[in-house]
Amino acid sequence: MTLLKEKMVLLAPFVVLLVILIFSLTLIPSVHPEPKNLPIAIVNEDQGAELLGRGKLNRGAEIALNIKKETSGEDAAVKWIDVKNEKSARNGLNDRTYYAALIIPKDFSQKQSSLQTAHPAGAKVKILINQGANTIAANAAGQMLNQLVEHINQQVREQLLTTLEKRGAALSAEQASLLAAPIEKDIENVNKISANSANGNAPVSLVQPLWMASIAGALLIFAKVRKLRFFKRTEALFSRLLQGLIGAVLAAICGYGLVWIAGEWVGMNIPQFHETALFIALCYFSFYLMIAAVTAWVGLSGAGIFGILFFFGTPLLTLAPEMMSAFYRDWVYSWLPMRFASEGLRDLLFFDKGLDMNQPVTVLLAIGTVSFLLLLAAALKPQAVSKEAEEKISF
C-alpha cells in the first residue's frame, strides 16, 4: 500500500491527462480545415459579340465581375486574381502562386449569344487544377469551380427560357440539348501527382523519416562528444568541426539511402533520383547542424524541442497555409524548418524543377551555416575545457 502514497503515483492521472491534452492539440489543424482566401486565377480572354439592338456584349467580363462580387471578401474562401492570359496563369500554377485557374475563352460571348438563335453552339470554360501544389487545397479549389460553373449554368438557363418566353418562341431541339449544360467544363489537372505518390503527400512522407533520422544522428554524436575531455580549446574546436563533418557523411547516407528505399522498396515514384537525394542530404545536414548546435549549448534537454516540432509540425505539412487558422499559419507553420524540406521536395517530385537556388535551398543553407557557426562557437564556452584539464595546464 506504500506505493499508493507516493506523490508520483497520485500525480500520474494528471500527467496522463496533460500529455493527452498536449498531443491532442496536434489534431486541431487537420480536423476541419476550411479554405480562406485560396488564390485562384481568373482569365477573361473573351472578345465579346455584337448583338442586334444591344451593341457589343462581353459575357466573360460580366461573369468575371459577378464571380468576384459574389465570392470575394475578407473571410471569403477564394481570393480571385485577375491574370491577363492563359500562359501567365499556367506560369503562376507552375510557381505555386495559384491552386487553380478559370479560363474564359475568346469566343465565349459569341457562343453564348448563339443560344438564342436557330443554330446554337455551346460555350466552354477551362478549369486548371494545380494538383501538385497541395492535394487538399487543389481538390477544394476544383470543387468550388465546378459548383461555380453549375451556378452560372443555372442562371443562363433561366435567362434563355425567360427571353424565349417573352418572344413567344418555342425551344428548338438543338437549344433543348444544350440547355442541360449551356457552358461546358474542360477540366485539366496540371502538375499531376502520380499514382505512387501517397495521394500527393509524398513530400511529407519523406520529411518524416528525414527529420527523425536527423535527430537520431545528431544525438548519437552529441552523446559521444559529451563524454570527451579536452585539454585545449583547439581540441574542443576540432571536435566540433569533426562533429559537423560526420554530419555531412550521415547526410549523404540519408539522402541516397532514403530515396533508394522509398523508390525501390516502398515503390514511391521519384522522377529525379540524384537531385532528390542531394536535396534530402542538404535537408539532413541543415537539420543535423541545427540540432547539434542547440544540444551543444543547451544540452540533451534541447532535443525535446525537435520532438515537439515533429508532433506539432507534421500535420501542418499536409495542409495549405490558406487552410490553417491564423495562429497555426503565423506562429507555427511559418517557423517550421521542415516545411522548407517539404516545399523543396514538392518542386522536385511534382513540378519537374531541378535542384537550384530556390527559396527552400536558400533557407536550408542559411539554417545550416548559422547552426555550424554556433556549433563551433560552443567550443569557446567555459565548460568546453574540463576543470581537471585546466588544473593540469596551470600546474
Side-chain angles (χ1 to χ4, degrees), residues 54-229:
R54 294 180 60 185
K56 190 167 186 178
L57 178 70
N58 192 308
R59 286 286 294 144
E62 290 179 9
I63 288 174
L65 182 62
N66 290 334
I67 286 173
K68 286 181 282 187
K69 280 184 178 179
E70 294 175 6
T71 60
S72 295
E74 187 177 345
D75 295 323
V78 178
K79 178 182 179 182
W80 296 102
I81 301 174
D82 288 308
V83 181
K84 60 181 180 180
N85 53 44
E86 183 176 340
K87 182 180 178 182
S88 299
R90 288 183 179 274
N91 289 336
L93 293 171
N94 292 333
D95 292 335
R96 288 194 282 139
T97 305
Y98 320 120
Y99 291 102
L102 177 65
I103 314 293
I104 302 174
K106 296 178 180 180
D107 59 355
F108 186 82
S109 289
Q110 185 178 355
K111 289 187 174 180
Q112 272 273 282
S113 59
S114 73
L115 290 174
Q116 301 179 22
T117 67
H119 302 287
K124 288 185 178 181
V125 293
K126 187 178 291 186
I127 295 175
L128 306 180
I129 309 296
N130 197 3
Q131 278 193 326
N134 182 276
T135 305
I136 299 175
N139 288 339
Q143 290 175 2
M144 285 187 285
L145 288 175
N146 273 294
Q147 292 172 2
L148 180 64
V149 174
E150 289 302 321
H151 177 65
I152 297 171
N153 271 332
Q154 180 63 30
Q155 292 179 330
V156 172
R157 279 193 290 268
E158 292 175 357
Q159 289 173 359
L160 178 60
L161 291 173
T162 301
T163 302
L164 292 175
E165 185 179 356
K166 288 180 179 179
R167 292 179 182 176
L171 195 67
S172 69
E174 290 179 314
Q175 288 173 327
S177 65
L178 291 172
L179 202 60
I183 302 173
E184 295 182 22
K185 295 171 290 186
D186 183 8
I187 301 174
E188 179 185 348
N189 292 321
V190 298
N191 301 311
K192 296 179 182 179
I193 57 175
S194 64
N196 300 318
S197 62
N199 293 323
N201 289 319
V204 182
S205 299
L206 291 172
V207 167
Q208 290 175 339
L210 162 64
W211 183 259
M212 296 307 294
S214 303
I215 295 175
L219 293 185
L220 282 173
I221 304 304
F222 168 77
K224 294 298 180 183
V225 172
R226 186 175 60 170
K227 294 178 180 179
L228 299 177
R229 294 294 180 265

Side-chain angles (χ1 to χ4, degrees), residues 229-238 379 384-386 389 393:
R229 294 294 180 265
F230 305 111
F231 292 90
K232 297 180 181 179
R233 296 206 180 276
T234 53
E235 292 179 356
L237 184 62
F238 180 75
V385 178
S386 64
I393 294 171

